[in-house]
Amino acid sequence: MFVYTGGRVPEHLRLHITHARVDESVSEIDEGAFDGCEHLLDVDCHNGVKRVNKRAFYLCRSLTRANLPGVTFIDQSAFGYCSRLMDVKFSSRLETIERWAFDECEDLTHLEIPSILRIDYGAFFSCKTLAEAEFGGGLETIGVGAFQYCHSLRRIAIPLKYDLFTLNSNERYDQFDDCFKLATVELVGSIHKPISF
């Protein structure tokens, strides 16, 4: 068991770590901390870890489980190309998932993040086995290409809001492009009656 105390994992350990636990002294996982730790299987954070920074677990191709009980912010490409990641315990306080955060996490099948406020550009791009995604009424933004190429996505629960989706450079909404199986969109939270002036 490798105990993470901050910074980047030393190069001589990167190919040997299989299990990691974040020390109680750590409040955020630094940029590139475990980048390229190809044999890392699982990571356990404590409630005091609030942020996972850029590329923290990028290219951890064997990572299957991540326990993030207190994390409120997941930065750009934090779990990008973690192709075997299937079990993520998200915090009940998670608010922001930045661009490409879970890009190409091909084994991720289910998302349930009721506290999320913002899902950025390509956050779940090409998560090819993702079948269901559930978000709460507080969700404010789903960025360009957020779920593009999620070929198995069948069901999503989102709020009904006028400006929930952002336009791409071609003035198109492409959040769900190539989601061929998407058949059910459930509306969550309050639905307000339009007011005429």
Side-chain angles (χ1 to χ4, degrees):
M1 173 70 72
F2 175 78
V3 178
Y4 176 73
T5 56
R8 284 175 56 90
V9 172
E11 289 297 327
H12 70 280
L13 295 177
R14 286 182 175 267
L15 294 180
H16 302 288
I17 296 172
T18 56
H19 304 278
R21 178 174 56 82
V22 179
D23 188 76
E24 294 289 333
S25 65
V26 174
S27 61
E28 61 182 71
I29 300 174
D30 290 327
E31 182 173 341
F34 291 86
D35 187 348
C37 289
E38 293 189 7
H39 301 293
L40 180 66
L41 298 171
D42 58 72
V43 60
D44 277 302
C45 296
H46 55 84
N47 284 326
V49 177
K50 303 301 181 190
R51 184 179 176 111
V52 179
N53 284 305
K54 290 180 183 179
R55 298 174 60 102
F57 295 95
Y58 189 74
L59 285 172
C60 290
R61 297 186 190 277
S62 299
L63 185 66
T64 59
R65 188 183 68 85
N67 185 27
L68 312 171
V71 172
T72 61
F73 186 96
I74 298 176
D75 209 342
Q76 182 176 334
S77 300
F79 291 91
Y81 292 88
C82 292
S83 54
R84 293 185 182 171
L85 184 62
M86 65 176 74
D87 181 13
V88 184
K89 297 289 190 296
F90 291 105
S91 165
S92 61
R93 298 183 295 270
L94 178 60
E95 295 182 351
T96 303
I97 298 175
E98 284 287 338
R99 58 178 54 207
W100 309 112
F102 292 90
D103 175 26
E104 299 274 351
C105 289
E106 295 181 355
D107 283 355
L108 196 61
T109 59
H110 180 80
L111 298 172
E112 186 173 353
I113 317 173
S115 60
I116 196 72
L117 300 179
R118 186 163 65 90
I119 299 170
D120 209 344
Y121 183 101
F124 295 97
F125 183 89
S126 200
C127 291
K128 293 176 183 173
T129 60
L130 181 64
E132 296 185 315
E134 300 177 38
F135 307 110
L139 181 60
E140 297 170 355
T141 305
I142 299 178
V144 170
F147 294 92
Q148 198 169 11
Y149 298 111
C150 292
H151 299 312
S152 300
L153 187 63
R154 298 188 308 267
R155 175 181 155 289
I156 190 165
I158 54 175
L160 179 63
K161 292 185 178 175
Y162 171 71
D163 56 352
L164 183 63
F165 302 109
T166 55
L167 290 164
N168 68 13
S169 59
N170 295 319
E171 298 296 307
R172 287 184 58 246
Y173 297 106
D174 66 358
Q175 282 76 3
F176 300 100
D177 275 11
D178 296 299
C179 295
F180 307 117
K181 296 182 180 178
L182 184 58
T184 304
V185 177
E186 295 178 11
L187 301 179
V188 299
S190 300
I191 300 174
H192 300 285
K193 185 176 179 180
I195 298 173
S196 299
F197 293 96

